[in-house]
Amino acid sequence: MKRIRMTAWIAFAIAVCIYGAMTIWTLPAISEAAGGLAPFDMRPGGYSFAEAQAFLAALSTQGREIYLGPQQRLDLVYPAALALALGISLYLLAPFNRFWKGLLALIPALGMVFDYLENAAVRTMLLAGSSGLQPEQVETASRFTTAKVIFDSAGYGLVLVFLILWALRRWRNASAPRA
């Protein structure tokens, strides 16, 4: 059990470090290179064809290189680290039987799958550019972005709920009168 907890903490640390690098370095650089427009990854509600076209038209060559290079390389490791950290946490914290714990642990795994699908779709859009962009490409990428956000948010939310329940159980046990 200790090894599983340690794996969760290591995965969490990796995810935090990578997310930090993306929020401090790559994503602001991409946004700046697109005249202040938010990168696709940072649009939780998705985006329209017109919004995607405007972003790609505004994105400089340097911004495209950062997006296709460092940002996508960081985003190769981040989804797996996040899914591992959240999945193990859900499995360990959920007060259910193994079947339900396993089912809950799949929620962040689905977020990871949609994140990787989003990354591939974004890469395709970046390579197509604003003039070669197709509405179907944008619709697909936007759906992947939204699905990623839904499953990741559900994972975060459930971990928070189960942490609160765990803390309440510990507090009750600690404050229970001893015989």
Side-chain angles (χ1 to χ4, degrees):
M1 193 60 89
K2 258 187 175 178
R3 192 174 294 169
I4 292 172
R5 283 191 186 113
M6 183 59 71
T7 301
W9 281 110
I10 291 169
F12 178 72
I14 291 168
V16 167
C17 289
I18 292 171
Y19 190 74
M22 289 190 295
T23 56
I24 292 169
W25 171 39
T26 57
L27 293 170
I30 293 165
S31 180
E32 185 179 321
L37 297 175
F40 297 117
D41 304 71
M42 301 308 291
R43 297 176 185 226
Y47 32 89
S48 68
F49 179 71
E51 290 169 328
Q53 223 172 13
F55 175 80
L56 291 172
L59 188 63
S60 70
T61 302
Q62 182 185 9
R64 183 174 277 104
E65 288 171 3
I66 293 170
Y67 215 146
L68 288 169
Q71 173 59 30
Q72 290 233 311
R73 282 194 292 277
L74 289 168
D75 220 2
L76 278 174
V77 179
Y78 176 72
L82 180 64
L84 188 60
L86 291 177
I88 291 172
S89 297
L90 285 171
Y91 190 86
L92 293 174
L93 291 168
F96 305 124
N97 65 35
R98 284 185 182 173
F99 173 78
W100 291 108
K101 288 173 172 272
L103 219 51
L104 286 172
L106 286 177
I107 292 170
L110 288 170
M112 174 188 72
V113 168
F114 284 115
D115 201 343
Y116 286 131
L117 290 170
E118 173 200 40
N119 293 344
V122 165
R123 180 174 189 79
T124 301
M125 292 191 307
L126 289 166
L127 293 173
S130 63
S131 60
L133 196 62
Q134 298 298 313
E136 303 80 31
Q137 287 175 305
V138 176
E139 187 176 326
T140 300
S142 180
R143 284 185 181 159
F144 290 152
T145 299
T146 304
K148 168 195 79 171
V149 169
I150 289 168
F151 285 103
D152 285 352
S153 297
Y156 285 123
L158 286 167
V159 166
L160 181 61
V161 166
F162 293 136
L163 270 173
I164 291 168
L165 292 173
W166 173 82
L168 286 172
R169 280 191 309 269
R170 286 189 58 116
W171 178 73
R172 282 187 191 138
N173 289 340
S175 62
R178 304 268 188 237

